Amino acid sequence: MKQRRRIKNMTYAALGAVLFCICGFVTVPFAIPFTMQTFALFFLLDCFGGKKTLLSVLIYIALGCVGLPVFSGFGSGFGVLFGATGGFIIGFAVASCVYFAAESIFSKSKHSRIIFALVALTACYICGTLWGGLYIDSGKGFLAVLSLYVFPYILPDILKLALALTASSYFKRFLSLN
């Protein structure tokens, strides 16, 4: 039984990494184009929790680092990971850890999962903003970094969060993951 659960968890983590890869390829044309990777993050966090999602993110990062074109815009390698937007990729792992800590400390209810997801999104924004700040002229200030890396994406990310939580509710019922 323990072996079966371990195989099931590894399968979920691998499928989660595949979802990240697919969502990285999907670019939504908007005033500022965005990918669906945060949709994958929220969907997996709600379905599988922070621990399995972290494993999915680490697999996703490893695939990109070894040269598979899984990052946004079919990017790959350490150059993307350590580039201007690499902080958001690292932020997916940090967000998973934050979500895992929240679900370990607090009870998981319908309303708390929304709060956990918003806190995870904030953690992702913080990582991306701090990382991105290294690539912007420091004389422009923190507001310039936020206006480039965060403000344009808040509304799309909130919409992706709502879509992901709705989709995961149906998915969990379908697979009896609750």
Side-chain angles (χ1 to χ4, degrees):
M1 191 59 92
K2 193 174 186 179
Q3 179 73 10
R4 188 177 190 154
R5 184 179 305 140
R6 186 176 298 142
I7 290 171
K8 185 177 176 181
N9 288 340
M10 288 189 309
T11 302
Y12 284 151
L15 289 173
V18 168
L19 182 63
F20 267 107
C21 294
I22 292 169
C23 287
F25 299 149
V26 177
T27 302
V28 178
F30 198 59
I32 295 177
F34 58 87
T35 65
M36 294 297 289
Q37 290 168 311
T38 49
F39 168 83
L41 177 68
F42 300 133
F43 181 82
L44 294 172
L45 285 172
D46 195 46
C47 283
F48 303 145
K51 194 174 186 181
K52 287 182 200 141
T53 301
L54 176 61
L55 187 54
S56 294
V57 170
L58 294 176
I59 293 169
Y60 168 70
I61 292 171
L63 291 172
C65 286
V66 298
L68 293 175
V70 297
F71 297 140
S72 174
F74 296 98
S76 66
F78 287 103
V80 174
L81 188 61
F82 293 112
T85 58
F88 289 100
I89 297 170
I90 302 298
F92 296 152
V94 172
S96 299
C97 292
V98 167
Y99 192 93
F100 176 64
E103 69 185 354
S104 297
I105 296 169
F106 304 103
S107 65
K108 194 172 177 184
S109 68
K110 185 176 184 175
H111 299 292
S112 66
R113 44 188 269 255
I114 296 169
I115 294 169
F116 295 169
L118 288 171
V119 170
L121 176 62
T122 303
C124 192
Y125 281 157
I126 290 169
C127 290
T129 302
L130 293 175
W131 193 277
L134 299 173
Y135 290 89
I136 293 181
D137 180 17
S138 60
K140 292 185 179 179
F142 188 65
L143 191 58
V145 177
L146 287 175
S147 63
L148 182 63
Y149 288 100
V150 176
F151 296 152
Y153 301 99
I154 291 174
L155 181 60
D157 283 341
I158 297 296
L159 293 173
K160 288 185 278 184
L161 187 148
L163 179 63
L165 294 181
T166 302
S168 67
S169 294
Y170 289 108
F171 185 75
K172 288 189 293 188
R173 274 188 265 157
F174 179 73
L175 288 184
S176 300
L177 290 175
N178 284 333

